Coordinates of all heavy atoms in Angstrom, one line a residue:
M276 N 112.9 83.6 117.3 CA 111.5 83.6 116.6 C 111.4 85.0 115.9 O 111.5 86.0 116.5 CB 110.5 83.4 117.7 CG 109.2 84.0 117.5 SD 107.9 83.2 118.4 CE 108.3 83.1 120.1
P277 N 111.3 84.9 114.6 CA 111.1 86.2 113.8 C 109.8 86.9 114.2 O 108.8 86.2 114.4 CB 111.2 85.8 112.4 CG 110.8 84.4 112.3 CD 111.1 83.8 113.7
K278 N 109.8 88.2 114.0 CA 108.5 88.9 114.2 C 107.7 88.8 112.9 O 108.2 89.3 111.9 CB 108.8 90.4 114.6 CG 107.4 91.1 114.7 CD 107.7 92.5 115.3 CE 106.4 93.3 115.2 NZ 106.6 94.7 115.6
Q279 N 106.5 88.3 113.0 CA 105.7 88.2 111.8 C 104.4 88.9 112.2 O 104.2 89.4 113.2 CB 105.4 86.7 111.5 CG 106.6 86.0 111.0 CD 107.0 86.4 109.6 OE1 107.5 87.5 109.3 NE2 106.8 85.5 108.7
A280 N 103.4 88.9 111.2 CA 102.2 89.7 111.3 C 101.4 89.3 112.5 O 100.8 90.2 113.2 CB 101.4 89.6 110.0
H281 N 101.3 88.0 112.8 CA 100.5 87.6 114.0 C 101.0 88.2 115.3 O 100.3 88.7 116.2 CB 100.5 86.1 114.1 CG 99.8 85.6 115.3 ND1 98.5 85.7 115.6 CD2 100.3 84.9 116.4 CE1 98.2 85.2 116.8 NE2 99.3 84.7 117.3
Q282 N 102.4 88.2 115.4 CA 103.0 88.8 116.6 C 102.8 90.3 116.6 O 102.5 90.9 117.7 CB 104.6 88.6 116.5 CG 105.3 89.1 117.7 CD 104.9 88.4 119.0 OE1 105.6 87.4 119.4 NE2 103.9 88.8 119.7
A283 N 102.8 91.0 115.4 CA 102.5 92.4 115.3 C 101.1 92.7 115.8 O 100.9 93.7 116.5 CB 102.7 92.9 113.9
D284 N 100.1 91.8 115.5 CA 98.7 91.9 116.0 C 98.7 91.9 117.5 O 98.0 92.7 118.1 CB 97.9 90.8 115.4 CG 97.5 91.1 114.0 OD1 97.6 92.2 113.5 OD2 97.0 90.1 113.3
L285 N 99.4 90.9 118.1 CA 99.4 90.7 119.5 C 100.0 91.9 120.2 O 99.6 92.4 121.3 CB 100.1 89.4 120.0 CG 99.5 88.1 119.4 CD1 100.3 86.9 119.9 CD2 98.0 88.0 119.9
Q286 N 101.1 92.5 119.6 CA 101.8 93.6 120.2 C 100.8 94.9 120.1 O 100.8 95.7 121.0 CB 103.1 93.9 119.5 CG 104.1 92.9 119.8 CD 105.4 93.1 119.1 OE1 105.5 93.8 118.1 NE2 106.5 92.4 119.5
A287 N 100.1 95.0 119.0 CA 99.2 96.1 118.8 C 98.1 96.1 119.8 O 97.7 97.1 120.3 CB 98.6 96.1 117.3
I288 N 97.6 94.8 120.1 CA 96.5 94.7 121.1 C 97.1 95.2 122.5 O 96.4 95.9 123.2 CB 96.0 93.3 121.2 CG1 95.2 92.9 119.9 CG2 95.2 93.0 122.4 CD1 95.0 91.4 119.8
A289 N 98.3 94.8 122.8 CA 98.9 95.2 124.1 C 99.1 96.7 124.1 O 98.8 97.3 125.2 CB 100.3 94.5 124.3
V290 N 99.6 97.3 123.0 CA 99.8 98.8 123.0 C 98.4 99.5 123.2 O 98.3 100.4 124.0 CB 100.4 99.2 121.6 CG1 100.3 100.8 121.5 CG2 101.8 98.8 121.5
A291 N 97.4 99.0 122.5 CA 96.0 99.7 122.6 C 95.5 99.5 124.1 O 95.0 100.5 124.7 CB 95.1 99.0 121.7
A292 N 95.7 98.4 124.7 CA 95.3 98.1 126.1 C 96.0 99.0 127.0 O 95.5 99.6 128.0 CB 95.4 96.7 126.5
N293 N 97.4 99.2 126.8 CA 98.1 100.1 127.7 C 97.8 101.5 127.6 O 97.7 102.3 128.5 CB 99.6 99.8 127.4 CG 100.1 98.5 128.1 OD1 99.6 98.1 129.1 ND2 101.1 97.8 127.5
I294 N 97.5 101.9 126.3 CA 97.1 103.3 126.1 C 95.7 103.6 126.8 O 95.6 104.6 127.5 CB 97.0 103.7 124.6 CG1 98.4 103.7 123.9 CG2 96.2 105.0 124.4 CD1 98.3 103.8 122.4
A295 N 94.8 102.6 126.7 CA 93.5 102.7 127.4 C 93.7 102.8 128.9 O 93.0 103.6 129.6 CB 92.6 101.6 127.0
A296 N 94.7 102.0 129.4 CA 94.9 102.0 130.8 C 95.5 103.3 131.3 O 95.0 103.9 132.3 CB 95.9 100.9 131.2
I297 N 96.4 103.9 130.5 CA 97.0 105.2 130.9 C 95.9 106.3 130.9 O 95.7 107.1 131.8 CB 98.1 105.6 130.0 CG1 99.3 104.7 130.2 CG2 98.5 107.1 130.1 CD1 100.4 104.7 129.2
E298 N 95.0 106.2 129.8 CA 93.9 107.2 129.7 C 93.0 107.1 130.9 O 92.3 108.1 131.3 CB 93.1 106.9 128.4 CG 93.9 107.3 127.2 CD 94.1 108.8 127.0 OE1 93.1 109.5 127.2 OE2 95.2 109.2 126.7
A299 N 92.8 105.9 131.4 CA 91.9 105.7 132.6 C 92.6 105.9 133.9 O 92.1 105.6 135.0 CB 91.3 104.2 132.5
G300 N 93.9 106.3 133.9 CA 94.7 106.6 135.1 C 95.2 105.4 135.8 O 95.6 105.4 136.9
R301 N 95.3 104.2 135.0 CA 95.9 103.0 135.6 C 97.3 102.8 135.1 O 97.7 103.4 134.1 CB 95.0 101.8 135.2 CG 93.7 101.8 136.0 CD 92.8 100.6 135.7 NE 92.1 100.8 134.5 CZ 92.3 100.1 133.3 NH1 93.3 99.3 133.2 NH2 91.5 100.4 132.3
E302 N 98.0 101.8 135.7 CA 99.4 101.5 135.2 C 99.3 100.7 133.9 O 98.4 99.8 133.8 CB 100.1 100.6 136.3 CG 100.7 101.3 137.4 CD 101.9 102.1 137.0 OE1 102.8 101.6 136.4 OE2 101.8 103.4 137.3
P303 N 100.2 101.0 132.9 CA 100.2 100.2 131.7 C 100.9 98.9 131.9 O 102.1 98.8 131.8 CB 100.9 101.1 130.7 CG 101.8 101.9 131.6 CD 101.1 102.1 132.9
S304 N 100.1 97.8 132.2 CA 100.8 96.6 132.7 C 100.4 95.4 131.7 O 100.8 94.3 132.0 CB 100.3 96.2 134.1 OG 98.9 96.1 134.1
Y305 N 99.8 95.7 130.6 CA 99.4 94.6 129.7 C 100.6 94.2 128.9 O 101.3 95.0 128.3 CB 98.3 95.1 128.7 CG 97.5 94.0 128.0 CD1 96.3 93.6 128.5 CD2 98.0 93.5 126.8 CE1 95.6 92.6 127.8 CE2 97.3 92.5 126.2 CZ 96.1 92.1 126.7 OH 95.4 91.1 126.0
R306 N 100.9 92.9 128.9 CA 102.0 92.4 128.1 C 101.6 91.5 126.9 O 100.5 91.0 127.0 CB 102.9 91.5 129.0 CG 103.5 92.3 130.2 CD 104.3 91.4 131.1 NE 105.6 91.1 130.4 CZ 106.7 91.9 130.4 NH1 106.6 93.0 131.0 NH2 107.7 91.5 129.8
F307 N 102.4 91.4 125.9 CA 102.0 90.6 124.8 C 102.6 89.2 124.9 O 103.6 89.0 125.6 CB 102.4 91.2 123.4 CG 103.9 91.4 123.3 CD1 104.6 90.3 122.7 CD2 104.5 92.5 123.5 CE1 106.0 90.4 122.6 CE2 105.9 92.7 123.4 CZ 106.6 91.6 122.9
K308 N 101.9 88.2 124.3 CA 102.4 86.9 124.3 C 103.3 86.6 123.2 O 103.0 87.0 122.0 CB 101.1 86.0 124.1 CG 101.3 84.5 124.3 CD 99.9 83.9 124.1 CE 100.0 82.4 123.9 NZ 98.7 81.8 123.6
P309 N 104.6 86.2 123.4 CA 105.5 85.9 122.3 C 105.0 84.7 121.5 O 104.9 83.6 122.1 CB 106.8 85.6 123.0 CG 106.6 85.9 124.4 CD 105.2 85.8 124.7
E310 N 104.6 84.9 120.3 CA 104.0 83.8 119.5 C 104.2 84.0 118.0 O 104.0 85.1 117.5 CB 102.5 83.7 119.8 CG 101.9 82.4 119.3 CD 100.5 82.3 119.9 OE1 99.5 83.0 119.4 OE2 100.3 81.5 120.8
L311 N 104.5 83.0 117.3 CA 104.7 83.0 115.9 C 103.7 82.0 115.2 O 103.7 80.8 115.6 CB 106.1 82.6 115.5 CG 106.4 82.3 114.0 CD1 106.4 83.6 113.2 CD2 107.7 81.6 113.8
V312 N 102.8 82.5 114.4 CA 102.0 81.7 113.6 C 102.1 82.2 112.1 O 101.8 83.3 111.8 CB 100.5 81.8 114.0 CG1 99.6 80.8 113.1 CG2 100.3 81.5 115.4
C313 N 102.7 81.3 111.3 CA 103.0 81.8 110.0 C 102.9 80.7 108.9 O 103.2 79.5 109.2 CB 104.4 82.4 110.0 SG 105.0 83.0 108.4
I314 N 102.5 81.1 107.7 CA 102.5 80.1 106.6 C 103.6 80.5 105.7 O 103.7 81.7 105.2 CB 101.2 80.1 105.8 CG1 100.0 79.6 106.7 CG2 101.3 79.2 104.6 CD1 98.7 79.7 106.1
V315 N 104.6 79.6 105.5 CA 105.7 79.9 104.6 C 105.2 79.5 103.2 O 105.0 78.3 103.0 CB 107.0 79.1 105.0 CG1 108.1 79.4 104.0 CG2 107.4 79.5 106.4
D316 N 105.0 80.4 102.4 CA 104.5 80.1 101.0 C 105.5 79.9 100.0 O 106.5 80.7 99.9 CB 103.6 81.3 100.6 CG 102.8 81.1 99.4 OD1 102.7 79.9 99.0 OD2 102.1 82.0 98.9
T317 N 105.5 78.7 99.4 CA 106.4 78.4 98.3 C 105.8 78.5 96.9 O 106.3 77.9 95.9 CB 107.0 77.0 98.5 OG1 106.0 76.0 98.5 CG2 107.8 76.9 99.8
L318 N 104.7 79.2 96.9 CA 103.9 79.4 95.7 C 103.1 78.2 95.1 O 102.0 78.3 94.7 CB 104.7 80.1 94.6 CG 105.4 81.4 94.9 CD1 106.2 82.0 93.8 CD2 104.3 82.4 95.4
D319 N 103.7 77.1 95.1 CA 103.0 75.9 94.7 C 102.4 75.1 96.0 O 101.5 74.3 95.8 CB 103.9 74.9 93.9 CG 105.1 74.4 94.7 OD1 105.5 75.1 95.7 OD2 105.6 73.3 94.4
A320 N 102.9 75.5 97.2 CA 102.4 74.9 98.4 C 102.8 75.8 99.6 O 103.2 76.9 99.4 CB 103.1 73.5 98.6
G321 N 102.6 75.3 100.8 CA 103.0 76.1 101.9 C 103.2 75.3 103.2 O 102.7 74.1 103.2
M322 N 103.9 75.9 104.2 CA 104.1 75.1 105.4 C 103.7 76.0 106.6 O 104.0 77.2 106.6 CB 105.6 74.9 105.6 CG 106.2 73.9 104.7 SD 108.0 74.1 104.6 CE 108.4 73.9 106.3
L323 N 103.0 75.4 107.6 CA 102.6 76.1 108.7 C 103.6 76.0 109.8 O 104.2 74.9 110.1 CB 101.3 75.5 109.3 CG 100.7 76.1 110.6 CD1 100.2 77.5 110.3 CD2 99.7 75.2 111.2
V324 N 104.0 77.2 110.3 CA 105.0 77.2 111.4 C 104.3 77.8 112.6 O 103.7 78.9 112.5 CB 106.2 78.1 111.0 CG1 107.2 78.1 112.2 CG2 106.9 77.6 109.8
F325 N 104.4 77.2 113.8 CA 103.8 77.7 115.0 C 104.9 77.6 116.1 O 105.5 76.5 116.3 CB 102.6 76.8 115.4 CG 102.0 77.3 116.7 CD1 101.0 78.2 116.7 CD2 102.4 76.8 117.9 CE1 100.4 78.7 117.9 CE2 101.9 77.3 119.1 CZ 100.9 78.2 119.1
R326 N 105.1 78.7 116.8 CA 106.1 78.7 117.9 C 105.6 79.6 119.0 O 105.1 80.7 118.7 CB 107.4 79.3 117.5 CG 108.3 78.3 116.7 CD 109.7 78.7 116.5 NE 110.2 77.8 115.6 CZ 110.8 78.1 114.4 NH1 111.0 79.4 114.2 NH2 111.2 77.2 113.6
N327 N 105.6 79.1 120.2 CA 105.5 80.0 121.4 C 106.4 79.5 122.4 O 107.3 78.7 122.1 CB 104.0 80.1 121.8 CG 103.5 78.8 122.3 OD1 104.2 77.9 122.7 ND2 102.1 78.7 122.4
E328 N 106.2 79.9 123.7 CA 107.2 79.5 124.7 C 107.1 78.0 125.0 O 108.1 77.5 125.6 CB 107.0 80.4 126.0 CG 107.4 81.8 125.7 CD 106.9 82.8 126.8 OE1 105.8 82.7 127.2 OE2 107.8 83.6 127.3
R329 N 106.0 77.4 124.6 CA 105.9 75.9 125.0 C 106.0 75.0 123.8 O 106.4 73.9 123.9 CB 104.6 75.7 125.7 CG 104.5 76.4 127.0 CD 103.2 76.2 127.7 NE 102.8 74.8 127.8 CZ 101.6 74.3 127.9 NH1 100.6 75.1 127.8 NH2 101.4 73.0 128.1
F330 N 105.7 75.4 122.6 CA 105.6 74.6 121.4 C 106.5 75.1 120.3 O 106.6 76.3 120.1 CB 104.2 74.4 120.9 CG 103.2 73.8 121.9 CD1 102.3 74.7 122.6 CD2 103.3 72.5 122.2 CE1 101.5 74.2 123.5 CE2 102.4 72.0 123.1 CZ 101.5 72.8 123.8
N331 N 107.0 74.1 119.5 CA 107.7 74.5 118.2 C 107.3 73.5 117.2 O 107.7 72.3 117.2 CB 109.2 74.4 118.5 CG 110.0 74.8 117.3 OD1 109.4 75.3 116.3 ND2 111.3 74.7 117.3
F332 N 106.4 74.0 116.2 CA 105.9 73.0 115.3 C 106.1 73.6 113.9 O 105.8 74.7 113.6 CB 104.3 72.9 115.5 CG 103.6 72.2 114.4 CD1 103.6 70.8 114.4 CD2 102.9 72.9 113.4 CE1 103.0 70.1 113.4 CE2 102.3 72.2 112.4 CZ 102.3 70.8 112.4
V333 N 106.7 72.7 113.0 CA 106.9 73.1 111.6 C 106.2 71.9 110.8 O 106.6 70.8 110.9 CB 108.3 73.2 111.2 CG1 108.5 73.5 109.7 CG2 109.1 74.2 112.0
G334 N 105.1 72.2 110.1 CA 104.3 71.2 109.4 C 104.8 70.9 108.1 O 105.8 71.5 107.6
P335 N 104.2 69.8 107.5 CA 104.7 69.4 106.1 C 104.2 70.5 105.1 O 103.3 71.2 105.3 CB 103.9 68.1 106.0 CG 102.7 68.2 106.8 CD 103.1 69.1 108.0
K336 N 104.9 70.4 103.9 CA 104.6 71.3 102.8 C 103.3 70.8 102.1 O 103.3 69.6 101.6 CB 105.8 71.3 101.8 CG 105.8 72.5 100.9 CD 107.1 72.4 100.2 CE 106.8 72.9 98.8 NZ 108.0 72.8 97.9
L337 N 102.2 71.5 102.2 CA 100.9 71.1 101.6 C 100.4 72.2 100.7 O 100.4 73.4 101.1 CB 99.9 70.7 102.7 CG 100.3 69.6 103.7 CD1 99.3 69.5 104.8 CD2 100.3 68.3 102.9
K338 N 99.7 71.8 99.7 CA 99.1 72.7 98.7 C 98.1 73.6 99.4 O 97.9 74.8 99.1 CB 98.4 71.9 97.6 CG 98.5 72.6 96.2 CD 98.0 71.7 95.2 CE 98.5 72.0 93.8 NZ 99.9 72.4 93.6
I339 N 97.3 73.0 100.3 CA 96.2 73.8 101.0 C 96.7 75.0 101.7 O 96.0 76.1 101.7 CB 95.4 72.9 102.0 CG1 94.3 73.6 102.7 CG2 96.4 72.3 103.1 CD1 93.1 73.6 101.9
F340 N 98.0 75.0 102.2 CA 98.5 76.2 102.9 C 98.8 77.4 102.0 O 98.7 78.5 102.3 CB 99.7 75.8 103.8 CG 99.3 75.1 105.0 CD1 99.8 73.8 105.2 CD2 98.4 75.6 105.9 CE1 99.4 73.0 106.3 CE2 98.1 74.9 107.0 CZ 98.5 73.6 107.2
H341 N 99.1 77.0 100.7 CA 99.3 78.1 99.7 C 98.0 78.8 99.5 O 97.9 80.1 99.6 CB 99.8 77.6 98.4 CG 99.7 78.6 97.3 ND1 100.5 79.7 97.2 CD2 98.9 78.7 96.2 CE1 100.2 80.4 96.1 NE2 99.2 79.8 95.5
W342 N 96.9 78.1 99.4 CA 95.6 78.7 99.2 C 95.1 79.4 100.4 O 94.5 80.5 100.4 CB 94.6 77.7 98.6 CG 95.0 77.3 97.2 CD1 95.6 76.1 96.8 CD2 94.9 78.1 96.1 NE1 95.9 76.2 95.5 CE2 95.5 77.4 95.0 CE3 94.5 79.4 95.8 CZ2 95.6 77.9 93.7 CZ3 94.6 79.9 94.5 CH2 95.1 79.2 93.5
L343 N 95.3 78.8 101.6 CA 94.9 79.5 102.8 C 95.6 80.8 103.0 O 95.0 81.8 103.4 CB 95.3 78.6 104.1 CG 94.2 77.5 104.4 CD1 94.7 76.6 105.5 CD2 92.9 78.2 104.8
K344 N 96.9 80.9 102.7 CA 97.7 82.1 102.8 C 97.1 83.2 101.8 O 97.0 84.3 102.2 CB 99.2 81.9 102.4 CG 100.0 83.1 102.5 CD 101.2 82.9 103.2 CE 101.9 84.2 103.4 NZ 103.1 84.1 104.3
R345 N 96.7 82.8 100.6 CA 96.1 83.7 99.7 C 94.7 84.2 100.2 O 94.4 85.4 100.1 CB 95.9 83.1 98.4 CG 97.2 82.8 97.7 CD 97.1 82.5 96.3 NE 96.6 83.6 95.5 CZ 96.6 83.7 94.2 NH1 97.1 82.7 93.5 NH2 96.1 84.7 93.6
I346 N 94.0 83.3 100.9 CA 92.7 83.8 101.5 C 92.9 84.8 102.6 O 92.3 85.8 102.7 CB 91.9 82.5 102.0 CG1 91.4 81.8 100.7 CG2 90.7 83.0 102.8 CD1 90.9 80.4 101.0
F347 N 93.9 84.5 103.5 CA 94.2 85.4 104.6 C 94.7 86.7 104.1 O 94.4 87.8 104.6 CB 95.3 84.8 105.5 CG 94.8 83.8 106.5 CD1 95.3 82.5 106.6 CD2 93.8 84.1 107.4 CE1 94.8 81.6 107.5 CE2 93.3 83.2 108.3 CZ 93.8 81.9 108.4
E348 N 95.5 86.7 103.0 CA 96.1 87.9 102.5 C 94.9 88.8 101.9 O 94.9 90.0 102.2 CB 97.0 87.6 101.3 CG 97.6 88.8 100.6 CD 98.5 88.4 99.4 OE1 98.0 88.2 98.4 OE2 99.7 88.2 99.7
R349 N 94.0 88.2 101.2 CA 92.9 88.9 100.7 C 92.1 89.5 101.8 O 91.7 90.7 101.8 CB 92.0 88.1 99.8 CG 90.8 88.8 99.2 CD 90.0 88.0 98.3 NE 90.7 87.5 97.1 CZ 90.1 86.6 96.3 NH1 88.9 86.3 96.4 NH2 90.8 86.2 95.3
H350 N 91.8 88.7 102.8 CA 91.0 89.1 104.0 C 91.7 90.3 104.7 O 91.0 91.3 105.0 CB 90.8 88.0 105.0 CG 90.2 88.4 106.2 ND1 88.9 88.6 106.4 CD2 90.7 88.6 107.5 CE1 88.6 89.0 107.6 NE2 89.7 89.0 108.3
D351 N 93.0 90.2 104.9 CA 93.7 91.3 105.7 C 93.7 92.6 104.9 O 93.6 93.7 105.4 CB 95.1 90.9 106.0 CG 95.2 89.9 107.2 OD1 94.1 89.7 107.8 OD2 96.3 89.4 107.5
L352 N 94.0 92.5 103.5 CA 94.2 93.7 102.7 C 92.8 94.4 102.5 O 92.8 95.6 102.2 CB 94.8 93.3 101.4 CG 96.3 92.9 101.5 CD1 96.9 92.6 100.2 CD2 97.1 94.0 102.2
T353 N 91.7 93.6 102.6 CA 90.4 94.2 102.4 C 90.2 95.4 103.4 O 89.6 96.4 103.0 CB 89.3 93.2 102.6 OG1 89.5 92.1 101.7 CG2 87.9 93.7 102.4
T354 N 90.7 95.2 104.6 CA 90.5 96.3 105.6 C 91.1 97.6 105.1 O 90.6 98.6 105.3 CB 91.3 95.9 106.9 OG1 90.9 94.5 107.2 CG2 90.9 96.8 108.0
F355 N 92.3 97.5 104.5 CA 93.0 98.7 104.0 C 92.5 99.2 102.7 O 92.7 100.4 102.4 CB 94.6 98.4 104.0 CG 95.1 98.0 105.3 CD1 95.4 96.6 105.6 CD2 95.2 98.9 106.3 CE1 95.8 96.3 106.9 CE2 95.7 98.5 107.6 CZ 95.9 97.2 107.9
R356 N 92.0 98.3 101.9 CA 91.5 98.8 100.5 C 90.2 99.5 100.7 O 89.7 100.2 99.9 CB 91.5 97.6 99.6 CG 92.8 97.2 99.1 CD 92.8 96.0 98.2 NE 94.1 95.6 97.8 CZ 94.5 94.3 97.6 NH1 93.6 93.4 97.7 NH2 95.7 94.1 97.2
Ligands
FAD85 C1 109.5 91.2 102.8 C2 108.7 90.9 104.0 C3 107.8 89.8 104.0 C4 107.0 89.5 105.1 N1 106.2 88.4 105.0 C5 105.4 88.1 106.0 C6 104.5 87.0 105.9 O1 104.3 86.4 104.8 N2 103.7 86.7 106.9 C7 103.8 87.4 108.1 O2 103.0 87.1 109.0 N3 104.6 88.4 108.3 C8 105.5 88.8 107.2 N4 106.4 89.8 107.4 C9 106.5 90.5 108.7 C10 105.4 91.5 108.9 O3 105.2 92.2 107.8 C11 105.9 92.4 110.1 O4 106.2 91.6 111.2 C12 104.7 93.3 110.5 O5 104.3 94.1 109.4 C13 105.2 94.2 111.6 O6 104.1 95.1 112.0 P1 104.4 96.4 112.8 O7 103.0 97.0 112.8 O8 105.1 96.2 114.0 O9 105.4 97.3 111.9 P2 105.1 97.8 110.4 O10 104.1 97.0 109.6 O11 106.5 98.0 109.8 O12 104.4 99.2 110.7 C14 105.2 100.3 111.2 C15 104.5 101.6 110.6 O13 105.1 102.7 111.3 C16 105.3 103.7 110.3 N5 106.4 104.6 110.9 C17 107.7 104.3 111.1 N6 108.3 105.4 111.6 C18 107.3 106.3 111.8 C19 107.3 107.6 112.3 N7 108.5 108.2 112.8 N8 106.2 108.3 112.3 C20 105.0 107.8 111.8 N9 105.0 106.5 111.3 C21 106.1 105.8 111.3 C22 105.8 102.9 109.1 O14 105.6 103.7 107.9 C23 104.8 101.7 109.1 O15 103.6 102.0 108.4 C24 107.1 90.2 106.3 C25 108.0 91.3 106.4 C26 108.8 91.6 105.3 C27 109.7 92.8 105.4

């Protein structure tokens, strides 16, 4: 399973929780969930891929996923802009 942005988010949450635990004098025991949620964009359409320890789903190529990916991209980049 490749590391994509959703996995990076889950890892970042685990890192933040572990730093908070250390600061509070506790053991850093928070683990991240291995999970891939990604839209593969082919510019005219897109495919949803979902993988975790229990499921492996690759959806059909649909136009809606290209537009959803563009909406997510704009939403995510707004934070940094
Ligand atoms: C070409 C490409 C396309 C991709 N497309 C997608 C996609 O469509 N959808 C998707 O979900 N994921 C995509 N990904 C994957 C996604 O970008 C990564 O999984 C995600 O960015 C990893 O996040 P991260 O925070 O772990 O690492 P990064 O985003 O790499 O962040 C690490 C940060 O640490 C900084 N850094 C490194 N060393 C040091 C140091 N010594 N001191 C201080 N700072 C340092 C770096 O400058 C960087 O800012 C793509 C990746 C690539 C390369």
